[in-house]
Amino acid sequence: MKARHSVEEFRDFVKRHPKLREEVLNGKKSWQEIYEDWVILGEDNSRFEPYKAQQREWIQQMVGMWKNVNFEEVQNHLSQLDKTLSQLQQLFDHFQGNQGTNKRPISYRKD
């Protein structure tokens, strides 16, 4: 355990454990209590485990969300959007007298 702990280290710890901030704002704990626990027990102590678990849950939810994304479907939607925007651009060009230019509003390539 370090003899001296810096305020910056504690701030980084709180940033990695945002639920601690909620406890202070809700009046359940004070910053002094949390800081003393952090200095005396260390950040790897089981007292802070519930806060780490919540971070892991959030990360797991994000990973799960990305696993469920059908990227072929996203690619198809983007292609349809590109075609729609191209048609709108042609329509605008027609009414502005700029016929003959074939601009694509979105640069899109297949992988």
Side-chain angles (χ1 to χ4, degrees):
M1 181 170 78
K2 293 182 182 178
R4 280 182 87 184
H5 294 280
S6 76
V7 173
E8 289 302 317
E9 289 174 319
F10 181 66
R11 284 182 181 165
D12 290 339
F13 172 73
V14 171
K15 286 179 185 176
R16 292 188 312 271
H17 301 82
K19 192 72 174 169
L20 290 172
R21 186 173 183 267
E22 290 177 26
E23 282 201 10
V24 171
L25 293 175
N26 293 335
K28 295 178 182 176
K29 297 280 184 187
S30 71
W31 285 119
Q32 185 66 37
E33 289 175 283
I34 294 171
Y35 180 78
E36 288 173 0
D37 286 347
W38 176 72
V39 170
I40 294 169
L41 303 173
E43 71 179 69
D44 295 326
N45 188 277
S46 62
R47 184 243 187 270
F48 299 113
E49 196 63 35
Y51 307 104
K52 291 180 183 179
Q54 290 176 354
Q55 284 183 330
R56 285 188 206 119
E57 288 174 14
W58 181 81
I59 291 170
Q60 289 171 348
Q61 288 174 348
M62 292 300 294
V63 168
M65 183 181 74
W66 281 106
K67 284 182 180 179
N68 294 328
V69 172
N70 181 343
F71 288 102
E72 286 183 27
E73 190 174 317
V74 171
Q75 187 174 9
N76 288 336
H77 288 297
L78 288 173
S79 178
Q80 290 174 359
L81 177 63
D82 181 50
K83 290 175 186 175
T84 302
L85 292 175
S86 292
Q87 291 175 352
L88 285 172
Q89 184 67 47
Q90 289 174 359
L91 183 64
F92 291 142
D93 287 345
H94 175 75
F95 286 111
Q96 291 178 351
N98 297 330
Q99 295 176 345
T101 59
N102 189 8
K103 298 178 186 176
R104 295 200 63 126
I106 297 177
S107 177
Y108 178 77
R109 65 178 177 93
K110 287 189 175 183
D111 290 329

